[in-house]
Amino acid sequence: MRKGVRTSILAFTLICLLLTTSCGVRPENNLIEEIAPVIFWYVKKGENKNLKISTAVPPILKEKKQLFSLQVNLLKQGAKDFNLIYYREMKVGQLRMIFIDEQVAKKGIAKIVDSLLIDPDTSQRLFIVIVTGDFEGYLKKQMKDKENAEYYLYRMLKHYEDQNQGELTPINLHEYKKMLYTPYTDPYIPVFKADQQNFSYEGTAIFKKDTLVKTLTKMDDQVFQLVGTDNYLKYLAIPKLSVVLGRVHTAVDFNLNSSYSKLFIKVKMMGRLEDYQGENGMNDKNIEKMKSTIEAFMEERTKKLMKKMQHMHTDPFQIGTHTITPFGKTLTDKEWYKKWENMDIDVKYELQLGPLPRESK
Amino acid sequence: MFGKKRQAVDNRTTQTPVSLDGVKKSLTNMNDAQIDEHETISGIKVNLIYIKSLVDNERLNEAIVKPLIHDRSISVSEAIISSIKEKVYTLDEAKEALLNGHILLNEAVINEWWAIPLQSPLSRSIESSETESILYGAKDSFSEQIDQNITLIRRRLPIMELKSESFTIGSLSKTTVVLLYIEGLTNPDFITIAKEGINNIDYDFFTDSSQVSALMEKGNNSVFPQFQQTDRPDVCARALGIGQLIILVNNTPFALIAPVTLFDLFQSPEDYINRWVVASFLRVIRYVSFFLSIVLIPLYVALTTFHFQMIPLQMLFVLTESRSKLPFTPFWEAFIMLIILEIIKEASLRMPTKAGQTLGVIGGIVIGQASVEAGFASKVLIVLVGIAAIASFLVPNYLLTKANTLIQFILLFLASQLGVIGIAMGLIGILSHLNSLTSLKQPYLAPLAPLYMKDWKDVFIRGPIKTAKERPEYLKPLKKWRTSRRN
């Protein structure tokens, strides 16, 4: 075969292969100095059943920042209408966070999530955060005081995501979608509280499908991080027992009986004693006693948390997935939740404490 | 002595017998031509004809004139005790001998002619290679003298199987070309193809071996060299040892190695001196650098023009700020900076060494820093241009380094029109083109395409010498094993 023909055939075949990946050969003009990449959307309830969406522009240049807000029926309508009021075209290709107001979340966020999912320009590595309070006020204040305040929020979420450090539970769009559309699973999202001065972590929002039903805070949130997620806790503070455990890792084993009437939860908890303000000395006997107390305390709190979930008919722990067996008949969602509500729960903790640096006498 | 050369010349010339008048006529208007008449003690009249600029005058007096005048022999052939003394019959032989630095010796009475080689040893000493310099290993390099170059190779391969066949090419330059190969090892097909290639060369003047390679190559329009040029005898000796052949060209220090593959051009003599792990790492770095040098700037243009989504957020901050006040689009910005870089590179080659520092200052500070401050180019691009330029020099073969500049421009244009997919298409085009190239009719992408897995031990990495017991399969050597026990 002639050389030119061979070259052409090879090049043609490889280019066809390239095009089958659905890469477009007519790229959109995105000259970076002419566009304004949007880093976040803030969605809250507007007037007359509308949504109010806000973002900060320009998000990265050394220009005076502005907070734009629009009343819209649809999320994408906002994206279009923003372009009509700003001299740079806003692009969502770098959208990294979507902040959803708690009130909107209580009504359901499936439509918002779906509109983000079907947008090919939006990455699924997009953090979803529930916000309570005056987030707009917080942003306006921050924009006056700091450059790139929203960027620091993104870095904070990314930091906790990378290290699986359960201080927060950052959830991205992909994870949320997976939890939302997987049978026997309900999603959860971190909740932040905003006011003029602060933007502080509140806890974890538990959803029933796409609707926020409960926000877990403080001890409940810590128990959830340990039992419901792969995270570890840098500190587990138990003020009631005057003790703080550090670098707490857990290995959780859920076991259902054959009739799905009883759930056994076995939690192997590893950590070290970080702080103890109690009155007992730190000898072996007292430490063993303390371990038993902590185990009993954690068992009680976990059981309580589980009961709350049963009451709310929600299953963020994905316990229902343990009913799936090869060749076995799968339960419908309805059947599972009915069994879940009435299930007896038995929790057993086994605490392993790391060696103390020096023995107290 | 002139047997091989006659092949190329005799067919086109008539066989005029050599005569003094004929030679004198040929030497008309050549002021460095000399015709001396001498008479021996025994009364024999001898004419010495030579070109002063080509012969060693001191040796002429010592080895020819003195013995000739003082000798009492009855014939000239007895008087000159030279081991290399050939009879000359035709005028063409006489002319060729004169031009090759021989002395023509004519016994006038009986009209007998001899040619005695007495070339002037006009050559520079053996120096270290400047184009392929290394820290460890042999330092010697070829010079412009072909005989000296053959000596350097023969010293490394003192075997009778190392054959050298001589050819003369160039109707004006009469350049000697020597084909070297190891008989019984190098594939005879390569030798036949190379001989055919050299014999088919029909051109007047040769200044360098690259012209020889250009006339022997099939893919003349390609930017990729299909013969490896080197001035290192150790590289040539190694090439011969694995079954490649060498073409030496007179008056140039650069030998040609063939058949070669693209991957041969990424190999450095130091690869075989360093520890294999280190050498492998460095070789991988070379491939990565080559890829970076052709793709980095086009990628910058593609990302800043079309695919801002792919830029890490932190980098996007820096880029947007850096580009916000520039008058040019990323394509023109990159294009201008690359052209300037090429100008600086070319200037640095032409300028005398002492002016090099000035060039560094102008290139680095004035053009680099000032262009950023003046708002012609972004800081990020300057950094990328610098990285790409340095990366391109990691490839040991300078011709390939030059080639990647052109590839960079092609990819740059594609990136500015189609973005990342344009770069992908460009790379596909390059890959297809490479696949179509051959070197002495052998595939240029071997051992990747066609696949010779065993040869991969010394392609992307340089495997341990202990494991490299076989010669590369893609070279189809007649002796497969490098160890004596297996052959």
Side-chain angles (χ1 to χ4, degrees):
Chain A
M1 202 186 297
R2 278 184 58 213
K3 211 165 62 178
V5 178
R6 203 174 55 188
T7 311
S8 309
I9 290 174
L10 182 66
F12 179 76
T13 315
L14 289 175
I15 288 171
C16 285
L17 270 175
L18 183 73
L19 295 178
T20 52
T21 60
S22 82
C23 290
V25 282
R26 295 179 69 185
E28 201 176 326
N29 177 21
N30 287 325
L31 211 59
I32 57 168
E33 58 266 34
E34 292 173 1
I35 57 166
V38 173
I39 293 181
F40 75 95
W41 291 124
Y42 169 51
V43 184
K44 68 181 283 191
K45 198 169 169 284
E47 290 163 12
N48 303 327
K49 291 184 181 176
N50 282 350
L51 290 175
K52 186 183 177 190
I53 63 172
S54 311
T55 190
V57 287
I60 49 183
L61 284 180
K62 282 180 182 168
E63 292 174 27
K64 201 182 169 198
K65 287 194 178 176
Q66 301 169 61
L67 187 73
F68 283 119
S69 296
L70 275 174
Q71 297 276 347
V72 289
N73 290 315
L74 304 161
L75 192 67
K76 287 300 162 61
Q77 188 191 348
K80 185 189 172 226
D81 291 352
F82 273 127
N83 289 332
L84 306 177
I85 56 170
Y86 186 57
Y87 55 84
R88 284 199 183 99
E89 188 186 355
M90 286 194 196
K91 297 275 185 176
V92 290
Q94 286 279 2
L95 192 65
R96 300 299 174 100
M97 296 173 288
I98 179 149
F99 296 97
I100 300 171
D101 189 75
E102 193 185 24
Q103 296 307 316
V104 176
K106 280 180 177 169
K107 299 270 179 195
I109 60 170
K111 285 177 185 171
I112 296 172
V113 169
D114 287 345
S115 70
L116 291 168
L117 282 172
I118 57 171
D119 185 353
D121 287 338
T122 309
S123 163
Q124 294 205 10
R125 291 185 65 83
L126 161 71
F127 291 116
I128 306 183
V129 176
I130 301 294
V131 189
T132 62
D134 184 12
F135 186 55
E136 279 177 343
Y138 170 77
L139 281 175
K140 278 178 189 165
K141 178 82 174 47
Q142 288 298 310
M143 273 189 264
K144 272 186 198 166
D145 301 344
K146 275 188 214 164
E147 264 182 34
N148 303 329
E150 65 277 22
Y151 174 67
Y152 295 123
L153 289 179
Y154 164 69
R155 289 308 298 252
M156 174 189 74
L157 293 168
K158 196 167 183 304
H159 170 77
Y160 288 108
E161 183 193 43
D162 288 348
Q163 299 301 321
N164 266 11
Q165 194 176 313
E167 250 65 42
L168 329 172
T169 332
I171 294 293
N172 64 37
L173 187 63
H174 177 76
E175 288 166 329
Y176 184 83
K177 174 192 79 175
K178 214 172 132 193
M179 289 190 280
L180 184 62
Y181 294 114
T182 304
Y184 320 125
T185 305
D186 287 302
Y188 52 90
I189 298 178
V191 182
F192 284 82
K193 186 179 178 184
D195 56 36
Q196 292 278 332
Q197 301 298 327
N198 297 311
F199 184 75
S200 52
Y201 177 68
E202 273 287 286
T204 305
I206 303 295
F207 283 71
K208 167 78 184 161
K209 294 298 167 197
D210 70 321
T211 313
L212 192 155
V213 286
K214 173 83 182 165
T215 301
L216 302 178
T217 55
K218 295 178 184 166
M219 197 61 212
D220 278 347
D221 186 36
Q222 294 192 87
V223 172
F224 180 74
Q225 304 287 353
L226 290 174
V227 181
T229 69
D230 293 334
N231 296 334
Y232 78 93
L233 284 183
K234 203 168 178 186
Y235 297 109
L236 171 64
I238 311 172
K240 197 178 168 186
L241 305 178
S242 311
V243 71
V244 177
L245 300 180
R247 298 193 71 84
V248 184
H249 291 260
T250 51
V252 186
D253 188 22
F254 292 104
N255 261 313
L256 287 166
N257 67 355
S258 55
S259 58
Y260 307 137
S261 59
K262 190 157 188 175
L263 170 67
F264 301 94
I265 305 172
K266 196 176 171 190
V267 184
K268 206 179 243 182
M269 190 160 83
M270 285 81 61
R272 65 180 182 217
L273 203 57
E274 288 278 340
D275 192 5
Y276 175 65
Q277 300 289 335
E279 289 165 2
N280 297 330
M282 298 281 275
N283 54 31
D284 289 348
K285 197 180 162 192
N286 286 342
I287 286 176
E288 281 305 314
K289 201 174 161 189
M290 186 197 297
K291 272 170 69 177
S292 309
T293 321
I294 294 170
E295 281 168 0
F297 175 81
M298 290 302 289
E299 281 162 12
E300 185 205 334
R301 294 304 301 240
T302 308
K303 209 168 180 176
K304 269 189 184 172
L305 180 66
M306 288 292 171
K307 287 284 170 203
K308 276 183 198 168
M309 298 297 142
Q310 284 176 307
H311 267 276
M312 292 183 293
H313 316 295
T314 181
D315 182 11
F317 295 93
Q318 306 180 17
I319 294 160
T321 54
H322 296 272
T323 62
I324 304 168
T325 53
F327 315 112
K329 192 189 168 210
T330 50
L331 299 173
T332 60
D333 258 18
K334 209 174 172 182
E335 284 168 342
W336 160 247
Y337 280 109
K338 201 171 178 187
K339 287 186 184 293
W340 170 232
E341 284 159 29
N342 303 313
M343 202 171 277
D344 281 339
I345 292 169
D346 184 27
V347 184
K348 185 79 190 152
Y349 267 77
E350 189 188 315
L351 175 63
Q352 286 176 10
L353 283 179
L356 292 169
R358 61 188 164 82
E359 202 172 332
S360 295
K361 291 191 177 174
Chain B
M1 182 182 174
F2 304 114
K4 297 274 161 29
K5 292 170 190 170
R6 233 178 269 141
Q7 288 175 356
V9 181
D10 279 355
N11 298 336
R12 283 175 254 148
T13 53
T14 51
Q15 301 285 320
T16 314
V18 61
S19 65
L20 190 60
D21 288 342
V23 174
K24 276 184 179 173
K25 200 178 167 189
S26 306
L27 298 175
T28 315
N29 291 337
M30 283 176 70
N31 74 332
D32 53 347
Q34 188 79 27
I35 302 173
D36 295 341
E37 283 184 18
H38 295 282
E39 194 172 328
T40 62
I41 293 174
S42 53
I44 305 165
K45 284 191 177 172
V46 179
N47 294 314
L48 285 182
I49 306 155
Y50 56 93
I51 296 170
K52 277 192 288 184
S53 54
L54 294 178
V55 301
D56 185 344
N57 286 296
E58 206 173 306
R59 277 173 59 211
L60 171 68
N61 285 329
E62 291 297 320
I64 297 178
V65 178
K66 272 188 189 172
L68 199 65
I69 294 169
H70 296 113
D71 200 90
R72 293 174 185 279
S73 311
I74 49 160
S75 78
V76 173
S77 61
E78 282 176 29
I80 307 297
I81 319 151
S82 171
S83 54
I84 316 161
K85 185 171 60 177
E86 286 214 355
K87 271 207 156 191
V88 175
Y89 299 98
T90 67
L91 186 60
D92 290 320
E93 281 177 0
K95 283 186 207 170
E96 200 174 335
L98 281 172
L99 292 168
N100 282 320
H102 290 59
I103 306 285
L104 277 184
L105 205 141
N106 167 232
E107 196 174 335
V109 181
I110 55 169
N111 197 27
E112 274 206 335
W113 292 78
W114 289 274
I116 303 163
L118 214 69
Q119 291 98 334
S120 167
L122 191 66
S123 167
R124 61 185 169 96
S125 58
I126 296 171
E127 290 158 4
S128 58
S129 170
E130 283 185 10
T131 46
E132 290 175 76
S133 56
I134 58 169
L135 283 176
Y136 287 93
K139 300 284 181 199
D140 55 347
S141 70
F142 290 141
S143 69
E144 286 73 13
Q145 282 275 3
I146 196 164
D147 293 335
Q148 194 171 300
N149 297 345
I150 295 171
T151 310
L152 290 175
I153 296 175
R154 277 212 183 272
R155 282 186 185 175
R156 286 176 166 83
L157 289 165
I159 48 168
M160 296 305 286
E161 288 81 10
L162 177 63
K163 303 295 176 192
S164 56
E165 292 189 34
S166 177
F167 302 84
T168 303
I169 54 168
S171 55
L172 286 179
S173 61
K174 302 286 180 197
T175 309
T176 308
V177 172
V178 173
L179 177 68
L180 291 164
Y181 58 90
I182 297 178
E183 197 176 47
L185 169 62
T186 311
N187 192 298
D189 290 347
F190 302 166
I191 302 165
T192 313
I193 298 165
K195 278 184 190 171
E196 267 175 28
I198 297 170
N199 282 327
N200 288 338
I201 290 174
D202 183 13
Y203 203 64
D204 62 343
F205 195 81
F206 292 89
T207 52
D208 191 69
S209 53
S210 57
Q211 292 162 318
V212 177
S213 68
L215 289 167
M216 288 175 73
E217 281 169 1
K218 295 292 172 205
N220 247 327
N221 298 326
S222 175
V223 292
F224 294 95
Q226 288 135 62
F227 285 79
Q228 185 182 352
Q229 265 194 315
T230 181
D231 64 348
R232 297 189 61 88
D234 54 339
V235 173
C236 287
R238 187 188 165 274
L240 285 165
I242 58 169
Q244 287 168 312
L245 49 81
I246 304 291
I247 298 168
L248 289 173
V249 179
N250 202 8
N251 299 320
T252 172
F254 290 99
L256 299 173
I257 302 176
V260 289
T261 67
L262 176 73
F263 311 106
D264 287 333
L265 307 179
F266 286 88
Q267 296 185 7
S268 158
E270 257 182 353
D271 286 356
Y272 302 95
I273 294 165
N274 281 322
R275 311 286 299 168
W276 78 269
V277 184
V278 179
S280 301
F281 169 71
L282 292 175
R283 202 176 270 182
V284 171
I285 289 279
R286 257 178 246 142
Y287 286 111
V288 172
S289 300
F290 177 74
F291 187 72
L292 268 185
S293 68
I294 59 171
V295 155
L296 201 60
I297 308 293
L299 203 61
Y300 164 82
V301 171
L303 295 188
T304 51
T305 312
F306 302 112
H307 315 290
F308 77 101
Q309 305 92 327
M310 291 167 70
I311 307 171
L313 197 56
Q314 301 90 318
M315 184 63 87
L316 186 65
F317 290 3
V318 181
L319 270 175
T320 315
E321 202 180 312
S322 166
R323 283 207 44 81
S324 58
K325 286 170 187 168
L326 297 184
F328 303 115
T329 59
F331 169 71
W332 285 110
E333 181 199 8
F335 183 79
I336 292 168
M337 287 315 293
L338 285 178
I339 289 284
I340 291 172
L341 179 72
E342 283 311 303
I343 292 170
I344 295 171
K345 271 169 59 179
E346 276 300 299
S348 65
L349 286 177
R350 312 277 165 260
M351 280 172 95
T353 325
K354 284 182 181 171
Q357 276 188 334
T358 321
L359 187 78
V361 174
I362 295 169
I365 300 172
V366 179
I367 296 175
Q369 197 173 337
S371 59
V372 172
E373 283 177 18
F376 284 113
S378 66
K379 291 173 203 166
V380 179
L381 181 73
I382 297 287
V383 173
L384 295 181
V385 166
I387 295 170
I390 293 167
S392 71
F393 287 115
L394 255 74
V395 182
N397 191 292
Y398 187 65
L399 294 178
L400 195 60
T401 304
K402 284 281 174 194
N404 72 6
T405 308
L406 206 62
I407 298 168
Q408 197 178 32
F409 277 107
I410 294 166
L411 292 183
L412 185 68
F413 176 75
L414 287 169
S416 72
Q417 297 302 309
L418 301 170
V420 170
I421 201 158
I423 298 175
M425 283 178 175
L427 291 175
I428 287 172
I430 292 164
L431 192 70
S432 310
H433 169 67
L434 284 170
N435 191 46
S436 74
L437 287 179
T438 56
S439 172
L440 287 189
K441 296 189 180 172
Q442 303 311 304
Y444 198 57
L445 279 186
L448 185 68
L451 194 66
Y452 295 98
M453 280 305 284
K454 276 186 183 174
D455 297 346
W456 280 40
K457 284 176 205 160
D458 194 10
V459 177
F460 299 107
I461 60 157
R462 202 277 282 162
I465 289 177
K466 275 184 183 174
T467 60
K469 289 179 179 168
E470 291 172 62
R471 295 195 170 85
E473 207 178 340
Y474 69 89
L475 288 171
K476 300 161 195 156
L478 299 184
K479 284 180 184 166
K480 187 180 171 189
W481 298 94
R482 307 183 84 167
T483 49
S484 54
R485 214 177 290 169
R486 307 294 286 267
N487 280 316

